[in-house]
Amino acid sequence: MNNLISIRDLDKAKILEIIEKADHIKSESAMKGKLMGSLFFEPSTRTRLSFEAAMKRLGGEVIGFADIETTSLKKGESLKDTIKMIENYADFIVIRHPEIGSARIASEHAQIPVINAGDGAGEHPTQTLIDLYSIKKTQGKLDGLKICLAGDLKFSRAMHSLALALSLFNSHIYFVSPNKLSMPNTILGQFEKDNYTEAESYDDIISDLDILYTNRIQEERFESKKDFQKYKDAYILKASMLKNAKNNLKVLNPLPRINEINPDVDETKFAYYFDQAAHGIPVRKAVIMEIMK
Ligand code: CP
């Protein structure tokens, strides 16, 4: 694996290999003497810090920025020129950027491996590896499940990468969103027609689900505040709505959670989103090991 830009860069066997490997990384020195370039042009808590923690726990070091105000990008330097500089300083790059396709552009200009940590409303492949790891850990399998992806399916990069990955497995996917925020057809086109259902509400299917994966309405991607206001409360999961849920149901969310999961869900046995975030360290360790092979 030279770069990880889209989850499509990994086939099913490689996805399974990485999430399996995540449980078995013992080395504390595999990245000794190596530097990760951490370029965050957009806010992040989990992705940036868990990548940094994973790299340091593997014995490596990190350089980079989380605020472009402190860089020469502020003087108008281009992404291409920035990447040409970082490749002199680091052994691989982790990049988050607001533009779709930016990580791909970075990889085309870099002589070192590039990992996409989120490109606008494009993709977020390492989040997907964490999600699949979480599903496998809680359900014991990735096939034969009923999985609902609910929320803003148009703008959520985490949903896009996860849906693309799930199209490789044999589970039934419910795509639940307001009609105007539905999953792009380019992604739905990867599924057999019988393997998915589109709906605007999850109320009637909650009791059938193994996984309910929610995500916030992506405020920063809307052109008008008025449109965001229309959808911001479209889905609010409450503990009372889970009273007929299956015992094995897990509620996932890439976080940050805004209002799409009421805090009373945190106290139920169904809440798994904080465990899911914790899995960022072992899974990103496995991704780093793979990219630096
Ligand atoms: N899940 C995720 O990408 O979180 P951050 O935006 O905090 O990195």
Side-chain angles (χ1 to χ4, degrees):
M1 182 168 71
N2 295 327
N3 300 295
L4 179 52
I5 306 302
S6 164
I7 196 69
R8 293 191 230 214
D9 294 337
L10 307 174
D11 60 18
K12 185 174 170 177
K14 185 56 80 177
I15 287 174
L16 292 171
E17 184 189 317
I18 291 173
I19 63 177
E20 170 71 20
K21 194 184 272 179
D23 274 336
H24 303 285
I25 295 174
K26 301 265 184 285
S27 174
E28 297 289 304
S29 59
M31 289 298 126
K32 194 166 165 26
K34 301 290 181 195
L35 268 176
M36 179 178 101
S38 171
L39 314 188
F40 277 72
F41 296 77
E42 254 196 355
S44 169
T45 297
R46 280 147 291 274
T47 310
R48 183 170 71 83
L49 296 177
S50 64
F51 257 119
E52 290 191 8
M55 185 62 179
K56 289 181 178 183
R57 293 212 183 274
L58 288 169
E61 294 185 57
V62 180
I63 57 167
F65 54 81
D67 177 4
I68 68 161
E69 299 290 317
T70 64
T71 72
S72 286
L73 289 150
K74 198 60 197 159
K75 302 174 202 161
E77 189 165 33
S78 66
L79 175 62
K80 176 185 166 190
D81 288 1
T82 304
I83 296 298
K84 297 305 291 172
M85 293 306 99
I86 306 297
E87 73 180 12
N88 295 316
Y89 311 146
D91 295 289
F92 67 98
I93 288 171
V94 175
I95 181 170
R96 169 169 290 188
H97 193 283
E99 301 294 328
I100 295 177
S102 50
R104 177 81 59 204
I105 290 168
S107 71
E108 286 164 2
H109 293 299
Q111 302 295 319
I112 57 175
V114 173
I115 300 173
N116 180 6
D119 61 324
E123 283 208 48
H124 196 352
T126 62
Q127 178 65 50
T128 292
L129 293 168
I130 296 163
D131 301 340
L132 296 177
Y133 176 94
S134 301
I135 295 170
K136 183 103 190 298
K137 205 170 184 70
T138 59
Q139 310 296 327
K141 58 186 182 179
L142 291 163
D143 296 291
L145 299 170
K146 290 190 173 173
I147 298 174
C148 175
L149 307 190
D152 181 346
L153 305 184
K154 178 180 178 184
F155 293 122
S156 169
R157 56 197 175 203
M159 293 292 201
H160 296 166
S161 292
L162 180 56
L164 286 167
L166 289 172
S167 73
L168 302 174
F169 296 90
N170 198 18
S171 284
H172 193 89
I173 314 301
Y174 296 88
F175 293 108
V176 171
S177 70
N179 187 257
K180 286 276 166 47
L181 299 178
S182 61
M183 185 60 79
N185 283 330
T186 49
I187 295 177
L188 292 179
Q190 302 301 310
F191 287 82
E192 299 288 332
K193 283 265 179 284
D194 289 346
N195 284 354
Y196 74 90
T197 307
E198 287 187 282
E200 291 199 45
S201 165
Y202 50 53
D203 296 358
D204 294 339
I205 54 170
I206 283 182
S207 58
D208 286 336
L209 296 174
D210 302 296
I211 294 289
L212 174 52
Y213 190 109
T214 63
N215 200 0
R216 69 189 171 90
I217 305 295
Q218 310 278 296
E219 179 174 7
E220 66 275 34
R221 310 282 176 227
F222 280 77
E223 278 177 15
S224 102
K225 261 226 155 347
K226 208 168 122 207
D227 274 354
F228 169 68
Q229 291 294 335
K230 210 175 343 174
Y231 298 117
K232 74 180 177 55
D233 300 326
Y235 303 102
I236 299 176
L237 182 69
K238 298 189 173 125
S240 58
M241 295 160 70
L242 297 169
K243 60 181 184 302
N244 295 321
K246 286 166 68 174
N247 255 329
N248 63 307
L249 173 77
K250 291 295 175 221
V251 177
L252 302 183
N253 187 299
L255 304 177
R257 166 256 306 263
I258 308 302
N259 67 344
E260 69 279 9
I261 301 175
N262 202 59
D264 68 356
V265 177
D266 300 359
E267 309 310 320
T268 71
K269 66 181 179 187
F270 307 112
Y272 198 73
Y273 25 94
F274 296 121
D275 306 84
Q276 179 188 0
H279 299 326
I281 303 270
V283 173
R284 289 191 167 113
K285 272 186 178 177
V287 170
I288 290 170
M289 299 280 279
E290 185 65 33
I291 207 100
M292 291 300 286
K293 251 185 189 168

